[in-house]
């Protein structure tokens, strides 16, 4: 009834700087101090292919993801590959009442196609609890919703999120509600300059509250963001020299006429609807819906594009 695994590590054998991927590929490194399977029914797995456990508890798991954007983009469809859809399509029958991860750390690193600079998004000190991880139709009829709650820090700022996955949905329905605490320009700059080539000289986000509901082909968001002292510097990279220069005209026009430097709560983004690209991942569509809402709050026109 109890199975424990300690000091586990799974990593690529090639270093990041030595990888040459013709197609964009994500490389994963996974470690954890210990995982405990409580109430495990190994006999049911061996005899009936049923993975049954009362709880699975991970101690200090870490996940590092690395991708070089230089490779060609894959256009393989990700439709039907949300977390709960993968669960429903698993080859084994799964009945796990609770999944717990304590003090989890996540690093997502990308190397820009043009600038060749590396940006890393970090999530630290994460405590997560997932309930009702099942794909048995009889159990789903009894309780058709799996939930996940996570609390931790993103690029140093507090974050909390609550997910609901509808296991009886034919189109991958889910929703997530969350909140991010204070974020400063100093926290955002290392990512925005390296991955988007946009500098943020000043900005103070006091809070960001969001609600996103989605399915296979679209998502809708509601966003409330309180911020102040926003200014942006748009940069352009010289293809021959690799040097970055400020796009002075666009920077001046956008900061003066397009961007609202602060929002004390007057503006909210409601019923923001976005379409999902078939290549977009679960967190990709959540970010797209969230960012579209943020953009409508920050920009006077609701949206803008600089080519």
């Amino acid at each position: 009834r109890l199975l424990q695994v300690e000091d586990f590590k799974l990593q690529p054998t090639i270093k990041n700087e030595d990888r040459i991927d013709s197609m964009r590929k994500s490389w994963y490194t996974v470690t954890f101090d210990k995982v405990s399977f409580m109430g495990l029914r190994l006999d049911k797995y061996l005899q009936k292919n049923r993975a049954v456990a009362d709880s699975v508890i991970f101690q200090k798991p870490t996940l590092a993801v690395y991708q070089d954007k230089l490779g060609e983009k894959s256009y393989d469809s990700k439709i039907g590959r949300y977390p709960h859809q993968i669960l429903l399509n698993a080859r084994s029958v799964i009945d796990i009442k609770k999944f717990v991860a304590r003090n989890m750390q996540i690093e997502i690193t990308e190397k820009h196609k043009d600038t060749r600079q590396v940006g890393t998004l970090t999530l630290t000190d994460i405590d997560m609890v997932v309930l009702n991880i099942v794909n048995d139709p009889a159990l789903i009829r009894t309780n058709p919703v799996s939930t996940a709650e996570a609390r931790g820090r993103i690029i140093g700022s507090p974050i909390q999120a609550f997910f609901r996955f509808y296991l009886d949905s034919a189109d991958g329905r889910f929703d997530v509600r969350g909140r991010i605490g204070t974020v400063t320009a100093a926290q955002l700059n290392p990512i925005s300059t390296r991955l988007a080539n946009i500098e943020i000289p000043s900005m103070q986000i006091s809070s960001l509250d969001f609600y996103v509901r989605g399915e296979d082909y679209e998502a809708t968001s509601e966003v409330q963001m309180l911020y102040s002292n926003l200014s942006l510097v748009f940069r352009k990279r010289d293809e021959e020299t690799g040097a970055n220069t400020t796009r002075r005209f666009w920077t001046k026009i956008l900061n003066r006429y397009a961007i609202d430097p602060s929002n004390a709560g007057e503006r909210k983004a409601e019923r923001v609807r976005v379409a999902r690209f078939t290549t977009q991942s679960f967190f990709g569509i959540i970010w797209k819906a969230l960012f579209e809402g943020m953009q409508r709050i920050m920009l006077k026109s609701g949206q803008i594009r600089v080519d």
Side-chain angles (χ1 to χ4, degrees), residues 41 43 63 77 85 88 106 118 120 136 158 167 196 220 223 247 282 286:
R41 293 297 303 273
D43 57 328
L63 171 64
S77 175
Q85 292 175 318
L88 292 170
I106 301 175
V118 174
T120 301
D136 186 327
L167 303 176
T220 304
V223 181
R247 307 178 73 170
F282 174 68
I286 292 176

Side-chain angles (χ1 to χ4, degrees), residues 15 20 23 53 67-68 75 126 131 161 195 286 295:
K15 295 181 179 179
I20 302 176
M23 301 293 293
Q67 185 180 89
D68 190 335
Y75 292 95
I126 302 170
L131 302 178
L195 299 184
I286 292 176
Q295 183 175 245

Side-chain angles (χ1 to χ4, degrees), residues 12 26-31 62-66 105-109:
S26 295
W27 296 80
Y28 299 89
T29 300
V30 179
T31 69
T62 67
L63 171 64
V65 184
Y66 175 85
Q105 319 292 322
I106 301 175
E107 287 189 356
I108 304 172
T109 301

